[in-house]
Structures are given as C-alpha cells and as structure tokens.
Amino acid sequence: MLDPYGRSITYLRLSVTDRCDLRCVYCMGEEMEFLPRAELLTLEELERLCRTFVRLGVRKLRLTGGEPLVRRGVMALVEHLGGMVEAGTLDELTLTTNGTRLAEFADALKAAGMKRINVSLDTRDAETFRRLTRFGRIDKVLDGIAAAKAAGLKVKVNMVALKGVNEDEIDSMVGWCGEQGHDLTLIETMPLGEVEGGRNEHYLPLDQVRRQLARNWTLEPSLMRSGGPASYVRIAETGGMLGFITPLTHNFCEGCNRVRVTCTGRLYLCLGQEDSADLRTPLRQSEGEEAIEAAIREAIGRKPKGHDFVIDREHQRPALARHMSVTGG
Ligand code: SAM
Ligand code: SF4
C-alpha cells in the first residue's frame, strides 16, 4: 500500500477499546462518556480487519486503546494475531498498555508471540502518579512492569514530559530504566481532546530536556528506528536507548508508515487530522474481502502529508476534538 507521497504503509495501530481504568489528566476528562458496547467491533471483526491489513502489506501491528487489557476476551485476539507472527505473515505484534493489568497478562502475552511492549509510566512517585491518573495505584504498574520483564518481554517505558509535573524526574527515570534494562521514550504532549485545565502550561519542549540530560549522560547519536515516530540516542553509561517523540517541535511526518483504526472500525490516516474512513460498514456488508480492501485502498490514497499541531498561547483549544484514547497512542 503506497500513499500519495510514496510512503509505504506497513504499520497498523489498532485501538481495541476506548475505555480505560485510569484517567490521565492530559489524555481524558474526569467524566468520560464511552462508546456504547454495541458500536464496537467484535473481537472476530477486529481480527478479520487485521488479517485484511496484513494481506495488503502491513507487517507490524500494535494494539492500543484506551487500555487494551481491559477489553474482555482480548487475549483470544492476541493469540490469534500471534499466529500470524508464527506463520511469518506478520513481523511484529505488540501492545501499548498502562501496565495496571500486566502482572496478570505478561506470561500469556509472551506465549502468544509478543517480544516487546510499551508501558506508559510518567512518574515513579506514588502521589504524583495518583494525581496524574486521577486515582491510579503505582504499585500495580510497577508490579506489571516487573512481571513483563520476568516473562521475557522487552519493555519500553513511555513517559509524557510535563512541565512542573514530572520534569524533575526525567533524569532519574533515565537512570532507573538503565538499571532495569528498559528503553525509554519521552513524549511531548499533543493537543488532542478537551481536558480540564490547560495543557499548554505543562507543555515541555524536548529539545530543552535533551540539553539538560546531556549534562549528566553521554547521549550517543543512533540511527535506530523502531518503525515508529521516535528518534533515538544511546545512553553510553547504561547502554539503554532513549527515544524522543516530538510532534510539535519537529515534523515527524515525512517517514510516516502508519495508520490507525479505532474500536468502531474507523480508519484514521493521521493522528493529527480529522479525515477518516468507515471500515465497519464494508466489513459487515459482505463476507468477502473485496469491499473492505477497496475501502482501505481508497482511504490510503488520500493519506495527508502531515499534521498541523500547534500549541501556543493563542491556541487554547485542542487542535482536534478527538481524544488520544479514541485513536490510540
Ligand atoms: N492506555 C494505554 C497507555 O496509557 O499506554 C494505551 C493508550 S494511551 C492513549 C497511549 C499513549 O498515549 C500513552 O503513552 C499516553 O501517555 C499517550 N498520550 C495520551 N494522551 C496524550 C497527549 N495528549 N499527548 C501525548 N501523549 C499522550
Ligand atoms: Fe488511559 Fe492510557 Fe489515556 Fe492514561 S493515557 S487515560 S492509561 S488511555
């Protein structure tokens, strides 16, 4: 699948639910209205959709949400999709999770063929974690990360860098991840969805963070690409990789190889644009694959060149009304 700019689309991020057991302040409002269950694709439909994308050239599949591990029965989906990795039709099956239920699922994820997972952890301080997630308990997440490591899953920690919230913890997170053998990716906040309190006041540009980190750590340039939007350095002292996702300060769209599908079967061509295509109707219309393949191809044919995120004082409103938990991170 080639888009109009010659980018080959090989990476699908699939949101399996919009629900979550946390309410991170930058991601969701306190009172969220979730989709009625009837609107969701069934697990069988999600699987069929994934198989179609793989047939059309997708080689990497990431399950996300909301919190993917709160979707009932999700492990059956993971196991079936893992079969494609075993069969060699898919290079990688992975997951982004908040980690609260990882202790329960880590072994099964590994057994299903996952090798690496991303776990979001913005702070290691219990009180800051509770405030950031509105009520979350950090011990569950730390136990989950430990279980993932024990199961033999390579963990990448995702940390959203927030001014005045966790900026003074970034250095120690680099050290802790190094000790634990986890890679770390820092993420700038993106203006997605309405949340209480401005997001702008917590926006922390990562070039500033990087300069600060360079005082304490040797950051060696790296050409590593994970197939995602991060650019990486290697921390010489720990051997760990440190990624930076900077959608606002730098344009990461040039090499974009991904599309996203929501749990209702809506295909988004760009995280930062509204344009989307309905895949649920063609999926339910016929048992054959023609209609669904045609809908995907038609949509890829209009994948935009890039996003237009802006955070500044004049733009107090989110760039997009859609929350990250709808399209998935
Ligand atoms: N619930 C899972 C989790 O938290 O990892 C998966 C979904 S979550 C939407 C995926 C990632 O998006 C998380 O790492 C989260 O921190 C990040 N995220 C959510 N809202 C964001 C925003 N407005 N800006 C930047 N990152 C955001
Ligand atoms: Fe839930 Fe993940 Fe959003 Fe936090 S970032 S509220 S864990 S979906």
Side-chain angles (χ1 to χ4, degrees):
M1 283 185 288
L2 282 184
D3 80 355
Y5 302 93
R7 296 170 298 191
S8 175
I9 306 306
T10 55
Y11 184 0
L12 171 67
R13 295 191 176 203
L14 177 69
S15 173
V16 299
T17 175
D18 64 329
R19 290 167 195 257
C20 188
D21 53 349
L22 299 179
R23 294 287 182 279
C24 302
V25 291
Y26 51 76
C27 177
M28 291 194 179
E30 188 155 17
E31 302 294 332
M32 288 290 287
E33 217 172 282
F34 295 111
L35 293 163
R37 277 179 215 278
E39 285 205 20
L40 301 196
L41 295 187
T42 64
L43 291 168
E44 291 73 21
E45 287 170 330
L46 289 171
E47 180 181 337
R48 187 171 153 217
L49 208 47
C50 289
R51 290 191 187 278
T52 307
F53 272 98
V54 168
R55 229 179 11 259
L56 291 176
V58 159
R59 301 294 311 179
K60 175 170 173 174
L61 193 56
R62 177 179 297 280
L63 303 183
T64 178
E67 173 48 39
L69 296 181
V70 303
R71 171 96 195 231
R72 198 174 306 148
V74 73
M75 276 316 300
L77 176 67
V78 172
E79 282 159 17
H80 294 169
L81 297 176
M84 288 198 283
V85 178
E86 205 176 323
T89 47
L90 184 64
D91 293 334
E92 186 172 12
L93 172 65
T94 184
L95 171 86
T96 301
T97 174
N98 64 22
T100 57
R101 305 194 64 184
L102 250 186
E104 199 180 317
F105 289 115
D107 286 331
L109 293 172
K110 181 69 170 49
M114 281 202 193
K115 296 189 177 68
R116 308 186 295 168
I117 58 169
N118 289 2
V119 186
S120 303
L121 182 66
D122 301 328
T123 172
R124 287 194 305 123
D125 178 76
E127 179 49 29
T128 311
F129 185 83
R130 198 192 54 72
R131 239 182 324 118
L132 257 181
T133 59
R134 292 202 176 91
F135 47 72
R137 282 190 25 217
I138 197 164
D139 46 341
K140 287 210 252 170
V141 179
L142 295 177
D143 289 351
I145 294 178
K149 182 177 169 181
L153 290 164
K154 176 80 181 155
V155 172
K156 181 152 73 72
V157 171
N158 277 350
M159 178 182 193
V160 177
L162 299 159
K163 190 170 168 179
V165 179
N166 64 1
E167 61 179 316
D168 55 352
E169 280 190 66
I170 297 177
D171 207 277
S172 67
M173 190 69 95
V174 170
W176 181 75
C177 286
E179 276 162 37
Q180 295 290 320
H182 306 320
D183 292 333
L184 173 64
T185 295
L186 300 174
I187 307 175
E188 278 175 358
T189 48
M190 293 176 234
L192 298 173
E194 199 79 63
V195 294
E196 295 93 0
R199 210 184 257 114
N200 309 14
E201 60 184 293
H202 297 304
Y203 172 59
L204 179 60
L206 289 184
D207 46 0
Q208 191 180 315
V209 172
R210 188 174 172 145
R211 279 196 298 277
Q212 189 73 31
L213 287 174
R215 293 186 193 155
N216 295 337
W217 305 96
T218 314
L219 310 183
E220 296 174 341
S222 160
L223 292 177
M224 181 175 118
R225 302 290 309 177
S226 63
S231 68
Y232 286 90
V233 296
R234 185 175 168 277
I235 309 272
E237 288 80 0
T238 68
M241 301 304 292
L242 174 63
F244 297 89
I245 299 188
T246 56
L248 299 164
T249 46
H250 301 279
N251 206 315
F252 65 5
C253 305
E254 255 159 56
C256 182
N257 58 353
R258 18 184 205 289
V259 291
R260 295 175 156 83
V261 172
T262 68
C263 53
T264 60
R266 193 151 274 286
L267 170 63
Y268 282 95
L269 304 158
C270 171
L271 183 60
Q273 301 280 1
E274 290 289 10
D275 190 21
S276 66
D278 167 35
L279 301 183
R280 189 175 55 187
T281 308
L283 191 70
R284 290 183 175 171
Q285 226 162 35
S286 74
E287 301 217 326
E289 302 304 319
E290 249 165 59
I292 178 78
E293 284 191 11
I296 294 172
R297 284 190 196 283
E298 187 277 326
I300 303 284
R302 53 187 163 84
K303 182 168 159 69
K305 194 164 181 199
H307 66 69
D308 321 299
F309 288 137
V310 199
I311 283 194
D312 64 28
R313 283 176 204 291
E314 276 123 59
H315 295 75
Q316 289 294 334
R317 317 231 1 120
L320 287 181
R322 199 167 81 230
H323 284 95
M324 187 77 141
S325 54
V326 173
T327 351

